Amino acid sequence: MTQATALQAPPIAFAKPCFGIEEQQAAAQTVASGWVVGGPRLKELEQLFAEHCETSNAVGVSSWTTGAFLVFKALGIGPGDEVIVPSLTFIASVNAIVHAGATPVFADVDPATFNVDPDDIASKVTSRTKAILPVDQIGLPCEIDRILEIANEAGAIVIQDAACSIGSVFRDRPVGALSPVTIFSMHARKVVTTGEGGMIVTNDEELAIRLRLLRHQAMSLTDFQRHSGSPTDFESYPEVGYNFRITDIQASIGVVQMGKLDKMLKRRREIAQRYIDALNTMPAYVAPHVPSHSNPNWQSFQLTVAKGGVETRNQVLRELHANGISCRRGVMASHREPPYQDLRVELPNTEHVADQGFQLPIYPDLSDDEVDTIIGMLEQISV
Ligand SMILES: *Cc1c(COP(=O)(O)O)cnc(C)c1O
């Protein structure tokens, strides 16, 4: 009966960018202006991020991954250096460390929050630890104050992977204001999206200057300076740089998205609360734990099955899909993937969450009726 009615309804999407006519118009206007890279829209987006994050600098790049690589390069972190990172993260976090030539050292997570366990970070510190790359998983801020203390004692820098957490709040401060360097993603799955894109925020002026140079082949003059300067002001290329630029077409979409951030956060938080209230009455599932000092942006809504392992979780995924509800397994365990299997680390909490976790649809356009349909289906699945 329920199966039949659910099948008549269109399937519920898992994730959707929150785009309207404003994003279309902004992109079209940038194209019409002819200044599509290194221009005023990028400057505007960088200013919006810097204001939001209470930092003096924001540097736009082509993705989180290229941004993280650039930060490692600019800070001189490479071969022989260790970077502590949770394995329970999108594999990009780990790959960026390897691209820079450094060695990832995996830390375990707290299974209640899915975020890296500061005690486990502390136990993994060695004389070669140069950086800690904690992740705000699913948009919930990691325990950054403890992590900063550990890093301080170790003489390492914290580079916060905030790919998922634009708009999240930790102890009344926005993510971005908490660490020496923070990197956001603007991929289509993230709360503020430009399709692809990344943003690095920092109060370190020198670092910001180097990031701006390196993203643009280390060219000594910006596009603005070349447009307004004398025709014989030639640029130079003092070191080997990269092309990690983001276009002004993307940036113009990001400007509109930043303007909608509060509205998007409000709706995501409403949906998450509805899920949490319902899950608290269902013994088959464990809702994510949110520490009282954190207010996540709910980029993703992840939960775990209370009992049974990977098979039970997979059964839930199959039943939700069969009933027109798109869902996904939860955050992956990077150390189980072929490039990292040889490290042979033991991360019991990470493996537990990777096996039992899954994610439900969450995005501003998801209606209350759809949320209720999803909750109703979870209640009916017998696991
Ligand atoms: C999405 C994501 C990334 C990668 O971001 P890109 O912009 O696609 O490079 C990195 N870390 C985490 C935790 C992510 O969720």
Side-chain angles (χ1 to χ4, degrees):
M1 180 71 183
T2 41
Q3 194 138 350
T5 31
L7 283 177
Q8 284 160 8
I12 299 175
F14 176 64
K16 264 190 214 173
C18 182
F19 286 159
I21 189 78
E22 307 82 6
E23 281 86 352
Q24 296 178 33
Q25 285 169 344
Q29 277 163 12
T30 306
V31 172
S33 79
W35 198 349
V36 292
V37 71
R41 295 288 86 79
L42 174 58
K43 237 182 190 170
E44 197 180 344
L45 183 61
E46 289 178 339
Q47 270 160 11
L48 288 173
F49 265 84
E51 270 165 38
H52 174 87
C53 298
E54 302 171 2
T55 55
S56 52
N57 291 282
V59 181
V61 284
S62 53
S63 69
W64 182 94
T65 305
T66 55
F69 172 83
L70 213 58
V71 167
F72 289 129
K73 282 283 162 189
L75 293 172
I77 295 169
D81 299 333
E82 292 178 352
V83 180
I84 301 177
V85 63
S87 161
L88 193 85
T89 181
F90 182 48
I91 200 163
S93 315
V94 189
N95 289 346
I97 298 168
V98 175
H99 289 319
T103 304
V105 174
F106 290 121
D108 210 352
V109 292
D110 173 347
T113 62
F114 316 127
N115 269 333
V116 66
D117 172 4
D119 290 333
D120 204 50
I121 292 179
S123 79
K124 303 269 159 84
V125 168
T126 72
S127 59
R128 304 207 297 184
T129 306
K130 283 283 151 48
I132 300 173
L133 186 74
V135 181
D136 297 333
Q137 208 43 265
I138 68 168
L140 175 67
C142 60
E143 291 307 306
I144 194 67
D145 44 4
R146 295 254 350 260
I147 295 167
L148 286 165
E149 273 170 32
I150 294 163
N152 213 13
E153 271 170 42
I157 185 169
V158 172
I159 302 164
Q160 194 168 352
D161 179 344
C164 302
S165 58
I166 182 68
S168 299
V169 176
F170 180 85
R171 297 195 195 283
D172 298 322
R173 300 196 67 200
V175 165
L178 310 164
S179 294
V181 196
T182 304
I183 312 165
F184 297 97
S185 170
M186 295 184 286
H187 175 259
R189 267 291 304 277
K190 317 301 187 191
V191 171
V192 164
T193 182
T194 55
E196 294 278 6
M199 189 66 72
I200 307 162
V201 297
T202 181
N203 283 322
D204 182 336
E205 299 297 327
E206 246 173 79
L207 174 63
I209 290 168
R210 272 189 60 66
L211 293 171
R212 286 179 199 286
L213 283 176
L214 288 174
R215 77 173 165 186
H216 194 18
Q217 310 291 2
M219 191 165 88
S220 63
L221 297 178
T222 67
D223 291 344
F224 277 101
Q225 287 163 331
R226 291 200 303 162
H227 279 288
S228 57
S230 111
T232 52
D233 280 347
F234 300 123
E235 77 280 10
S236 68
Y237 300 85
E239 61 183 307
V240 180
Y242 305 89
N243 171 7
F244 290 158
R245 297 183 298 266
I246 180 172
T247 67
D248 273 53
I249 305 170
Q250 291 166 298
S252 63
I253 296 171
V255 168
V256 178
Q257 290 266 291
M258 284 301 277
K260 291 180 170 175
L261 179 59
D262 286 345
K263 240 170 97 182
M264 296 195 289
L265 292 174
K266 182 166 175 283
R267 180 61 190 150
R268 283 178 175 275
R269 286 169 179 154
E270 280 168 10
I271 296 168
Q273 198 54 52
R274 227 175 158 90
Y275 279 141
I276 288 172
D277 291 344
L279 288 168
N280 285 340
T281 69
M282 293 187 229
Y285 308 103
V286 184
H289 172 67
V290 178
S292 59
H293 53 260
S294 289
N295 193 4
N297 66 358
W298 293 106
Q299 186 222 267
S300 302
F301 190 91
Q302 172 154 330
L303 64 164
T304 51
V305 292
K307 285 201 299 272
V310 66
E311 261 318 306
T312 308
R313 189 273 313 271
N314 291 352
Q315 183 61 25
V316 174
L317 289 181
R318 279 191 289 268
E319 291 204 33
L320 288 170
H321 265 272
N323 285 285
I325 297 163
S326 303
C327 48
R328 299 274 188 279
R329 71 162 178 178
V331 183
M332 63 185 296
S334 301
H335 73 283
R336 282 173 163 176
E337 295 301 316
Y340 304 113
Q341 279 167 2
D342 289 348
L343 298 174
R344 299 194 185 287
V345 283
E346 282 192 23
L347 302 164
N349 293 340
T350 297
E351 298 195 355
H352 163 85
V353 173
D355 284 344
Q356 304 199 179
F358 66 105
Q359 299 187 354
L360 298 173
I362 190 162
Y363 42 91
D365 290 342
L366 192 68
S367 71
D368 284 349
D369 282 351
E370 287 171 320
V371 175
D372 290 343
T373 300
I374 295 164
I375 289 169
M377 201 55 63
L378 283 171
E379 272 166 344
Q380 278 179 42
I381 299 171
S382 50
V383 287

